[in-house]
Amino acid sequence: STQSTWDLKREDIVMKKKAGKEGRDKIKYVKKEPEPRKEEKKKQPKNELDSEEPGFTGDSSTWFDDDEFNKQFEGSMDYKEVKDGYFGSYSHFGIHETMLKDEVRTKSYMIACMNNKENFDGKIVLDIGCGTGVLSIFAARAGAKHVYGIDNAEIADFAKAIVKKNGLDEKITIIKGKMEEITLPVDKVDIIISEWMGYFLLYESMLDTILKARDKYLKPDGILMPDRACLNMVAIEDSQYKQEKFGYWSNVYGLNMDCIKHVALCEPLVDIVDRALIMSSISQILDIDSVSYTHLTLPTSDLVQISVVAVTLKNK
């Protein structure tokens, strides 16, 4: 408060208690002057755009532009510059996030490396289609002398940054380019590691690249990871799923779009299937030994046989 206040001296209060009425008459009232007010620092209203991130502090007019902001990154994901559709698709972060979050896939490679350190110790490793460089890092941590990671997509620039941030830039070299067109700094490698399998195993047609690299760079006693891949076929029955995917086109907001249904039936779908929906035996249609494999041959349709073991008809 800025107003003066009245108070009693402590000695007068003691006297009052001892002397009774007579003492009370002698009590002196003194005027207590207010203490000088401390100047308060006025708080400036916080700008909603205020940030602690370097380059974005203070008034927004002082922030640097996008070009200056991007200078702090070692890579660039400029999709417009990517002419190749295949490598262009791997220049987007989303596909790498999906693969890394596939724990069965990623941990299988990590376990294979870390549980077989004797195979990596002091060896030269080639990682084809390295992406973010995660397999290269697994190989380096397993004891590899040096790892060469190859990728033609823009993600290779970020793989370099990831390797550096994890303190492995002296053991891992990321090379941006097509495996078939680059020349490695070494004549031969001891191990080739790659996650080349696509949907339905062969969708991305990356196997040919692995085989060419094997023939050119892998030592006669070298290791391929993985060294074998199998493709199996099985039949399922799911009437509800068929209705959602195909029957849907017969009535779309009251419109008949059956012409799309016939095309949709020809397109492959990638999805997760409940084990209970399997209604046939399992038939292996392809077994690839990547160590000795020379060319891709698929069995003819009359060689593939599956036996129906259970059929459930929900509707007549």
Side-chain angles (χ1 to χ4, degrees):
S1 173
T2 57
Q3 295 180 351
S4 298
T5 58
W6 291 88
D7 202 354
L8 295 173
K9 287 185 178 180
R10 179 176 177 79
E11 59 268 24
D12 290 337
I13 296 175
V14 174
M15 184 181 67
K16 171 185 174 183
K17 289 181 178 179
K18 289 182 178 179
K21 185 176 184 301
E22 184 181 349
R24 286 196 296 271
D25 294 338
K26 295 181 180 180
I27 292 176
K28 296 178 181 179
Y29 290 89
V30 294
K31 187 176 182 181
K32 185 178 180 181
E33 296 296 333
E35 295 181 4
R37 172 192 265 187
K38 294 180 181 178
E39 291 186 9
E40 293 183 5
K41 210 171 185 179
K42 291 184 178 179
K43 291 184 179 180
Q44 297 293 333
K46 189 172 181 180
N47 189 330
E48 291 183 1
L49 298 176
D50 278 354
S51 169
E52 296 180 358
E53 185 177 347
F56 292 100
T57 56
D59 191 277
S60 59
S61 62
T62 64
W63 294 358
F64 49 54
D65 59 20
D66 289 345
D67 291 335
E68 188 172 349
F69 175 71
N70 289 330
K71 286 179 183 178
Q72 66 182 295
F73 299 109
E74 297 187 36
S76 172
M77 295 295 251
D78 189 352
Y79 311 130
K80 295 179 182 178
E81 297 300 318
V82 182
K83 311 280 188 199
D84 189 298
Y86 174 76
F87 291 108
S89 67
Y90 279 88
S91 293
H92 293 260
F93 291 112
I95 192 167
H96 295 283
E97 179 184 358
T98 299
M99 291 190 293
L100 290 171
K101 287 182 176 178
D102 182 347
E103 291 191 3
V104 173
R105 163 199 176 271
T106 307
K107 284 188 175 180
S108 293
Y109 278 91
M110 181 177 70
I111 293 170
C113 293
M114 304 312 292
N115 287 3
N116 295 279
K117 290 184 177 181
E118 66 278 5
N119 292 327
F120 285 88
D121 188 31
K123 299 299 176 62
I124 304 298
V125 179
L126 174 61
D127 177 8
I128 302 176
C130 66
T132 57
V134 65
L135 302 188
S136 295
I137 292 174
F138 291 161
R141 287 183 172 176
K145 180 180 179 180
H146 202 88
V147 183
Y148 295 96
I150 315 298
D151 206 304
N152 193 42
E154 301 302 304
I155 195 67
D157 294 326
F158 288 86
K160 294 177 183 178
I162 292 169
V163 166
K164 187 174 181 179
K165 281 186 176 293
N166 286 276
L168 292 166
D169 47 317
E170 292 186 1
K171 293 192 70 174
I172 300 175
T173 300
I174 303 296
I175 301 173
K176 187 177 179 181
K178 291 184 178 180
M179 186 69 240
E180 296 87 347
E181 298 175 358
I182 66 164
T183 300
L184 290 180
V186 294
D187 293 330
K188 295 292 181 179
V189 299
D190 300 290
I191 300 173
I192 292 179
I193 187 170
S194 179
E195 206 287 87
W196 58 266
M197 298 80 72
Y199 292 126
F200 212 64
L201 188 61
L202 301 171
Y203 172 71
E204 297 175 21
S205 301
M206 192 175 167
L207 179 59
D208 286 341
T209 300
I210 303 300
L211 299 180
K212 289 176 182 176
R214 176 201 65 185
D215 295 342
K216 184 176 181 180
Y217 289 111
L218 189 63
K219 291 180 179 179
D221 59 346
I223 298 172
L224 270 170
M225 296 182 69
D227 60 358
R228 188 181 178 198
C230 300
L231 180 62
N232 299 294
M233 183 176 287
V234 67
I236 68 166
E237 169 58 33
D238 189 345
S239 58
Q240 182 178 347
Y241 186 80
K242 285 191 291 185
Q243 176 59 33
E244 291 173 357
K245 291 293 182 180
F246 309 118
Y248 165 79
W249 297 106
S250 297
N251 185 355
V252 183
Y253 300 104
L255 304 175
N256 188 321
M257 299 186 179
D258 270 348
C259 55
I260 294 179
K261 179 170 67 175
H262 300 303
V263 177
L265 281 167
C266 299
E267 288 189 353
L269 293 172
V270 178
D271 216 331
I272 298 172
V273 176
D274 190 322
R275 183 183 295 271
L277 300 175
I278 296 176
M279 56 170 291
S280 75
S281 60
I282 299 173
S283 178
Q284 185 178 102
I285 63 173
L286 193 62
D287 186 350
I288 299 174
D289 180 352
S290 56
V291 176
S292 58
Y293 211 68
T294 54
H295 62 281
L296 183 62
T297 55
L298 293 173
T300 56
S301 58
D302 59 336
L303 295 178
V304 180
Q305 297 180 358
I306 56 176
S307 304
V308 176
V309 294
V311 178
T312 302
L313 299 177
K314 294 181 180 179
N315 298 306
K316 192 173 180 179

